[in-house]
Amino acid sequence: MQPVEVLEEGLPDTGARRRHVPPADEEVPPGAAPAASDGAGPGDGPPAPDVRGLLRRWWPVPVALVVAVTAVGVLGVQRDRERAERLAGVPGVVRPLDGPPEVLWSTPAGPGDQLLVARGLLVVVQPGTSAWHATAHDARTGEQRWSADVAPAPGAAMESGPVRCPDPGTDVGAVVVCLAAEPDPVYADDPDGTVTSGDVGAFSEVDVALPETRVGALSARDGRTLGTWTLLGELVAAGRVRDDVVVVTVDDDEHVVVARRDGVTGEVRWGWRSPVPIRGTSVRALTSVEVTRDLVVVAGSATRVLAVADGAELTTAPDFSFLRVEPLRAGFGTWSPAQGGAVHDATGAVTATVPGLPAPLAVDDGSEPRLVVLDAGNAVVAHDTATGEERWRATTALNPALVVDHRLVVVGASRYGVVDARTGAEVWDEELGAPLPWQPVTDGALVLGPGLAPDGATHLVGRGVPDGVRYWSVPVPPDTRRVRAVAGHLVLTTAEEHRALG
């Protein structure tokens, strides 16, 4: 157990009101009905009321009142459950906490580790001495459910790329899919036709093989291998959509190839190939590729945005247009020097023009569906996604980070706070006085961010989203590198271990 500081300030008073009962010797005000004394005879005072008759006449009233109160309570609980489930499906949101979090369990950490959740199990993928392996833990107890090798570790004479296990930010379901770049062999023939690896000057021809990526699918239930297949071409990006993977490669003709494939069999759901080589010279460099839950953004001298669902081109930009794209909760935003900014819906249609590129948000719970925010340097500006009209402007140097429960969490180098997403009014802010060791996250009701104790120790602090009230504070290791939501689970990572909190 960790020491916990629980702060009661701002919490509602739950004490029941007490009815005043006058003592027996207290004088009864004139005109008041005298209280019946114990042991009064039949002739003393007014006759006793017919309690049975009253109950028979009025019993429906209290019963109806109890039913109504119970119904309201049930509806409230149901709404809370529905909200919790809805938030649990939003990437980057922690499942609601009942109180100050405690360390449930821990496991060793190392560079290159990946964490994801499959069928409720927290899966840690990390390199070992001889192989990359995946280990699944019970999210509450840390009990190891299974462990399986994902890919061999690179040999001493070969270089192998990192293993990628695409994570959509939510539970991946029944299949864990990992991609491992195979070592790049170089085959060369000498004049006699024999394969050699000696004097390069003796080679008549050198044939470099196309890079390969080994894809393996594991059962989230027990870790057994469900299928393996090979992907040709240099892997540049990958993402997950249900049991499928979206992979982006560059072929031997310098074209970009995007495909959505079955994670177990490799069967192609849809495929797309860039009409022209997108790299090969400095002016046709592939600058970035991003696979999100709904989009594939391929940016080079030309930019194309594809729909993950079916591979349709949602928007395209010609060479040297320098189009920038930012995924939004529903659709995406774009900006280019020639055309300015725009908001697009899920079909790619422009719904509004805005004066800049919409800001990236780590979390958007959908509580403000017509809100798009722009970072204007010394201000955060909100626009209507349907009309482009400016709704409000907040003077702040902090950057938009999270939208939750009609509030916008803004974050800077040493400060974070909340702006009302409906009006732009500043609600609260917290100055740490030192660089933030990690970015704040939320469980929908609290902002879980860093704070300092009076002795300078780092704490994890839970502050109310709507008011900034500090509900609790728990110490964390001084070498804490990251506090994050892994498919709803709160995980703290240090240099030595991952800690599951709850």
Side-chain angles (χ1 to χ4, degrees):
M1 297 287 290
Q2 300 185 66
V4 176
E5 174 191 0
V6 180
L7 298 153
E8 300 290 346
E9 58 186 80
L11 292 177
D13 178 25
T14 57
R17 294 184 178 181
R18 293 177 173 81
R19 182 172 55 88
H20 173 67
V21 179
D25 58 351
E26 182 175 318
E27 182 180 355
V28 179
S37 60
D38 292 339
D44 295 333
D50 184 0
V51 177
R52 296 180 184 178
L54 289 175
L55 288 176
R56 283 195 299 269
R57 179 179 301 176
W58 295 105
W59 72 263
V61 174
V63 170
L65 182 60
V66 170
V67 170
V69 171
T70 303
V72 171
V74 170
L75 289 175
V77 171
Q78 182 65 25
R79 283 195 298 267
D80 290 344
R81 288 177 179 173
E82 290 176 354
R83 181 174 184 272
E85 289 303 316
R86 180 176 60 82
L87 288 174
V90 177
V93 175
V94 178
R95 285 185 175 274
L97 299 173
D98 293 333
E102 301 175 354
V103 177
L104 303 177
W105 55 274
S106 64
T107 189
D113 289 2
Q114 299 175 63
L115 278 67
L116 53 87
V117 173
R119 292 181 69 95
L121 300 178
L122 185 59
V123 181
V124 182
V125 182
Q126 54 193 177
T129 304
S130 59
W132 284 75
H133 55 267
T135 305
H137 301 266
D138 183 284
R140 294 294 302 177
T141 68
E143 177 188 357
Q144 181 175 315
R145 295 297 182 84
W146 56 262
S147 183
D149 288 346
V150 173
M158 297 182 180
E159 288 298 329
S160 177
V163 170
R164 310 184 194 195
C165 303
D167 174 21
T170 55
D171 195 310
V172 299
V175 183
V176 176
V177 181
C178 294
L179 303 93
E182 297 287 352
D184 299 336
V186 177
Y187 301 97
D189 296 334
D190 68 7
D192 297 329
T194 58
V195 178
T196 64
S197 59
D199 184 7
V200 176
F203 297 164
S204 61
E205 182 179 354
V206 176
D207 179 22
V208 180
L210 196 64
E212 295 183 358
T213 299
R214 177 182 177 274
V215 184
L218 305 177
S219 167
R221 184 184 301 276
D222 53 19
R224 63 188 173 87
T225 300
L226 299 176
T228 59
W229 46 280
T230 300
L231 183 66
L232 293 179
E234 179 186 351
L235 180 67
V236 293
R240 275 295 295 270
V241 186
R242 294 189 289 276
D243 289 342
D244 296 343
V245 290
V246 178
V247 289
V248 184
T249 58
V250 178
D251 65 15
D252 53 354
D253 293 326
E254 303 294 345
H255 289 254
V256 174
V257 179
V258 184
R260 176 171 173 173
R261 294 172 174 260
D262 184 286
V264 176
T265 67
E267 178 187 355
V268 177
R269 308 292 193 198
W270 57 257
W272 176 90
R273 187 173 186 259
S274 62
V276 296
I278 200 165
R279 73 176 193 180
T281 67
S282 59
V283 297
R284 291 185 179 273
L286 182 63
T287 57
S288 67
V289 177
E290 183 179 10
V291 181
T292 70
R293 184 168 52 177
D294 302 311
L295 305 173
V296 182
V297 181
V298 181
S301 58
T303 300
R304 286 173 171 81
V305 181
L306 310 178
V308 162
D310 55 11
E313 289 193 6
L314 302 179
T315 192
T316 62
D319 286 350
F320 311 114
S321 59
F322 304 105
L323 183 72
R324 296 176 61 189
V325 180
E326 186 60 48
L328 302 176
R329 185 188 62 84
F332 57 97
T334 58
W335 180 87
S336 68
Q339 298 183 355
V343 178
H344 303 251
D345 64 17
T347 69
V350 174
T351 62
T353 58
V354 290
L357 180 67
L361 296 173
V363 170
D364 186 348
D365 70 344
S367 58
E368 288 292 320
R370 294 186 59 173
L371 178 79
V372 59
V373 291
L374 279 64
D375 186 350
N378 63 346
V380 174
V381 187
H383 291 262
D384 191 290
T385 57
T387 65
E389 179 183 357
E390 181 176 318
R391 291 172 51 180
W392 51 258
R393 177 180 294 263
T395 302
T396 176
L398 305 183
N399 303 317
L402 319 170
V403 171
V404 58
D405 194 22
H406 307 285
R407 275 85 176 179
L408 174 67
V409 180
V410 289
V411 180
S414 63
R415 178 191 297 263
Y416 61 96
V418 165
V419 171
D420 192 314
R422 295 161 293 193
T423 65
E426 180 182 288
V427 180
W428 59 268
D429 73 283
E430 169 73 2
E431 172 61 53
L432 195 64
L436 299 183
W438 70 83
Q439 295 295 296
V441 295
T442 182
D443 70 347
L446 303 175
V447 175
L448 314 178
L452 293 180
D455 61 358
T458 303
H459 279 220
L460 173 63
V461 181
R463 294 184 177 274
V465 170
D467 50 24
V469 170
R470 183 170 169 168
Y471 286 95
W472 49 256
S473 176
V474 295
V476 298
D479 63 340
T480 297
R481 296 181 174 181
R482 191 175 182 186
V483 176
R484 56 184 151 167
V486 182
H489 299 280
L490 185 61
V491 179
L492 180 152
T493 299
T494 70
E496 302 295 333
E497 60 184 4
H498 304 292
R499 297 183 177 186
L501 309 179

